[in-house]
Amino acid sequence: MALLALHGGAGGDGPWRGMTPMDPQRVACMQAILEDLGPRLESGELDALTAVRLAVEALEDEPGFNAGIGSVLDANGRVSMDASIMRGDDGAAGSVVGVTNLRHPIRAACGLLEQGWPAMMAGPGAEEWAAAQGYETVASEALVTELRTAQWRKWRDARLRPGATDEDDAALDHDLGEEVDGPGTVGAVALDARAKVAAATSTGGMTGKPPGRVGDTPIIGAGTWADPRVAVSCTGVGEAYLRACAAHEVGVGMRTEGANLAEVCEHVLDVVEPLGGRGGLIAVSADGQLALPFRVTLMYRGVWHNGTISTGIGPDSSEGQP
Ligand code: ASP
């Protein structure tokens, strides 16, 4: 059995208003990734770690998602990106923080995982290391899209408080109005043919974040976690996921014999939510359970399982929505 699940961020208040003009492109991107990687994961050609890295790389390439090209802009109108990746069977992990010129931050994070030490690098040091390893660099401006510039202007003009964990002030990019509505962080979790799991997450963070702000995404145990039993990728107001060590908490919950993954994930969101953690997570267990809970209006999500692909955005659990 193999399983691959993706997310493209979660957010929004109130009822889902249906697809935005960019949503078909986002859904098509998730579908193409699942069509390509799902069968290769099932056949054993890809292990879980490679599948989540490739999935997140492809999501970083889609300008409609907030990672790689299309990352949201900080208070100074600049891109700075975070990414992390973890392998379940040996707990190997890699993470980059605040990088501004890498085409695929997740590739550099995975390079650190494979190198074995250090597990985490930040800023110019991470960029220099990645360039020396031959990871593709780009001008930071090349990662900026019109959508994100419009979102940033709206954030600036509305004088929203950046990085706030309070629900009313949080400047999650999903919440900035229909015409510039955009989803967030991207992530993937996989279970491979050898019953091993892995997780990866990548983000531009939150619109208007102060330069230097670090969210949950690059923090192993907060935004990303994998152990022999479960792999987790989170999305939402990062400060709350950080304070709850949210992804790791799913791992703790799954240590109990016979634990139900959906229940464990809901319990973790019960802890995250009062801290202002509007968002969701995706998780897959080594025994084949899958959970994709979210506590906001929408979470872009897609699943490949047994040759079947399902994708969803809003809360509806009707046919086609995982
Ligand atoms: N968790 C991300 C962060 O706080 C944002 C998101 O998932 O939308 O940087």
Side-chain angles (χ1 to χ4, degrees):
M1 167 158 61
L3 233 158
L4 178 63
L6 314 175
H7 73 76
D13 290 316
W16 185 47
R17 296 187 300 270
M19 295 238 256
T20 68
M22 280 187 79
D23 281 349
Q25 183 182 320
R26 296 180 178 117
V27 171
C29 171
M30 292 194 294
Q31 249 156 2
I33 293 168
L34 295 166
E35 262 164 42
D36 174 27
L37 301 182
R40 295 166 66 195
L41 187 67
E42 174 102 71
S43 72
E45 181 198 331
L46 300 179
D47 62 15
L49 182 78
T50 311
V52 296
R53 174 179 62 77
L54 291 173
V56 169
E57 279 181 29
L59 292 163
E60 288 174 339
D61 278 340
E62 165 52 57
F65 290 122
N66 169 20
I69 293 165
S71 286
V72 300
L73 306 182
D74 71 12
N76 291 339
R78 298 200 186 100
V79 164
S80 85
M81 303 169 289
D82 304 326
S84 65
I85 187 163
M86 190 164 192
R87 181 166 57 205
D89 57 344
D90 62 354
S95 157
V96 292
V97 185
V99 292
T100 62
N101 66 353
L102 299 184
R103 171 86 194 264
H104 293 111
I106 200 66
R107 203 174 283 178
C110 196
L112 285 172
L113 179 154
E114 277 154 4
Q115 184 175 280
W117 188 92
M120 189 174 199
M121 292 184 82
E127 290 168 355
E128 276 167 35
W129 173 84
Q133 303 300 309
Y135 295 114
E136 187 179 348
T137 57
V138 291
S140 197
E141 299 73 41
L143 301 169
V144 178
T145 63
E146 277 176 31
L147 172 77
R148 300 310 184 193
T149 304
Q151 245 172 358
W152 178 79
R153 289 210 182 97
K154 189 153 185 164
W155 166 81
R156 183 195 57 189
D157 295 347
R159 296 173 190 275
L160 292 172
R161 189 150 61 89
T165 54
D166 177 73
E167 190 162 319
D168 297 332
D169 295 317
L172 269 180
D173 57 328
H174 323 277
D175 303 340
L176 292 174
E178 220 161 60
E179 74 281 7
V180 289
D181 199 19
T185 299
V186 303
V189 294
L191 166 67
D192 67 22
R194 293 171 49 244
K196 309 289 186 197
V197 296
T201 317
S202 181
T203 191
M206 297 167 82
T207 302
K209 66 184 180 180
R213 178 257 185 188
V214 182
D216 61 315
T217 301
I219 307 301
I220 298 300
T224 302
W225 178 255
D227 64 27
R229 289 168 290 272
V230 68
V232 187
S233 172
C234 299
T235 178
V237 178
E239 284 69 12
Y241 286 80
L242 263 175
R243 289 162 60 201
C245 294
H248 181 257
E249 277 299 299
V250 176
V252 172
M254 291 304 288
R255 286 179 195 163
T256 308
E257 181 85 25
N260 177 291
L261 182 63
E263 282 170 22
V264 167
C265 291
E266 290 296 344
H267 175 70
V268 170
L269 291 182
D270 284 345
V271 175
V272 169
E273 204 174 14
L275 303 176
R278 302 166 56 250
L281 60 84
I282 59 173
V284 65
S285 64
D287 63 5
Q289 300 178 67
L290 173 73
L292 306 99
F294 55 101
R295 298 276 173 96
V296 280
T297 305
L298 62 85
M299 182 168 78
Y300 292 84
R301 57 202 190 275
V303 176
W304 186 95
H305 185 214
N306 280 339
T308 303
I309 290 173
S310 47
T311 56
I313 304 177
D316 192 357
S317 58
S318 62
E319 207 184 330
Q321 298 235 30

